[in-house]
């Protein structure tokens, strides 16, 4: 089969080709509850202010915690945490303490009440910037108000979910920096 020979594909599975970025662990806190959820659908919406949009299913335990607190932390794990990432995505914080169960270390954030996950490569403290699409689409728009990123590795191996229980691991870096106009970097 040649690359340009195409066949019909189920539209419900197109995420295998449009996956927007790495799998993340979203931590939240409201009143005395703290939770972690695995998320695979998020997108950068603006650079300044730094806006991130994401879908959180209304049946997810984190939905009400984040909706009520109006904040969260988007934590970016590396591939070494794949089993914890999958495990946290396959259970509910209504039933277990995911921090304790999966061995996540909660670290104090600077601008939000939700904890950072120390084992993650990066943590983005977020405040809800726009809630107008939550009722209709479960779509939250957050402003990243503070970011924490490990110095090494420079290019972490992140997990990217392609559906059907399969992940792609990012790792190989191709630079074309010299071909970019400076204002587009």
């Amino acid at each position: 089969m040649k690359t340009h020979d195409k066949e019909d594909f189920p539209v419900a599975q197109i995420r295998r080709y449009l996956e927007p970025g790495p799998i993340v662990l979203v931590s939240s806190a409201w009143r005395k509850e703290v939770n972690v959820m695995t998320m695979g659908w998020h997108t950068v919406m603006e650079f300044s202010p730094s806006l991130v949009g994401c879908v959180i299913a209304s049946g997810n335990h984190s939905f009400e915690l984040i909706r009520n607190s109006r904040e969260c932390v988007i934590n970016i794990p590396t591939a070494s945490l794949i089993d914890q990432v999958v495990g946290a995505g396959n259970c509910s914080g209504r039933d277990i303490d995911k921090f304790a169960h999966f061995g996540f270390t909660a670290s104090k954030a600077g601008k939000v009440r939700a904890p950072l996950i120390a084992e993650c490569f990066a943590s983005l403290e977020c405040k809800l910037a726009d809630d107008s699409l939550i009722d209709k689409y479960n779509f939250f728009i957050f402003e990243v108000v503070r970011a924490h990123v490990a110095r090494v590795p420079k290019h972490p191996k992140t997990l990217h979910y392609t559906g059907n229980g399969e992940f792609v691991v990012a790792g190989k870096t191709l630079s074309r920096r010299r071909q970019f106009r400076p204002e587009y970097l």
Side-chain angles (χ1 to χ4, degrees), residues 15-18 24 31 38 49 54 57 79-80 88 96-97 100-101 109 117 119 126-127 136 143 147 151-152 154 182:
R15 70 179 180 181
R16 296 175 115 182
Y17 304 106
L18 288 178
V24 298
R31 296 190 175 149
T38 300
C54 60
S80 65
I96 65 168
D97 175 347
H101 188 81
I117 298 175
E119 292 76 15
C126 301
K127 293 194 177 200
K136 189 169 184 178
E143 179 179 353
R151 290 186 181 133
V152 292
K154 184 176 180 181

Side-chain angles (χ1 to χ4, degrees), residues 5-155:
D5 292 337
K6 298 178 182 94
E7 57 187 32
D8 286 343
F9 189 81
V11 295
Q13 295 179 24
I14 63 163
R15 70 179 180 181
R16 296 175 115 182
Y17 304 106
L18 288 178
E19 182 271 324
I23 291 294
V24 298
L25 294 168
V26 179
S27 52
S28 56
W30 173 243
R31 296 190 175 149
K32 294 185 181 194
E33 287 192 71
V34 177
N35 196 37
V36 177
M37 67 171 278
T38 300
M39 177 189 291
W41 199 93
H42 48 81
T43 185
V44 171
M45 298 179 67
E46 183 58 82
F47 302 117
S48 185
S50 183
L51 299 179
V52 176
C54 60
V55 172
I56 302 172
S58 61
N60 190 302
H61 184 57
S62 292
F63 181 90
E64 287 302 326
L65 299 180
I66 294 170
R67 189 174 204 178
N68 289 329
S69 68
R70 302 180 63 82
E71 59 187 32
C72 67
V73 177
I74 298 173
N75 300 277
I76 305 171
T78 58
S80 65
L81 294 173
I82 189 169
D83 292 330
Q84 293 95 322
V85 166
V86 172
N90 281 306
C91 62
S92 174
R94 286 184 188 91
D95 305 323
I96 65 168
D97 175 347
K98 292 186 188 183
F99 273 90
H101 188 81
F102 295 106
F104 295 132
T105 305
S107 298
K108 186 170 176 45
K111 296 197 174 201
V112 300
R113 289 180 302 277
L116 312 176
I117 298 175
E119 292 76 15
C120 288
F121 174 82
S123 297
L124 313 176
E125 297 182 38
C126 301
K127 293 194 177 200
L128 189 62
D130 185 339
D131 64 1
S132 64
L133 299 174
I134 294 173
D135 287 337
K136 189 169 184 178
Y137 297 110
N138 297 333
F139 191 79
F140 291 72
I141 300 173
F142 294 107
E143 179 179 353
V144 178
V145 294
R146 189 165 186 187
H148 314 266
V149 179
R151 290 186 181 133
V152 292
K154 184 176 180 181
H155 300 288

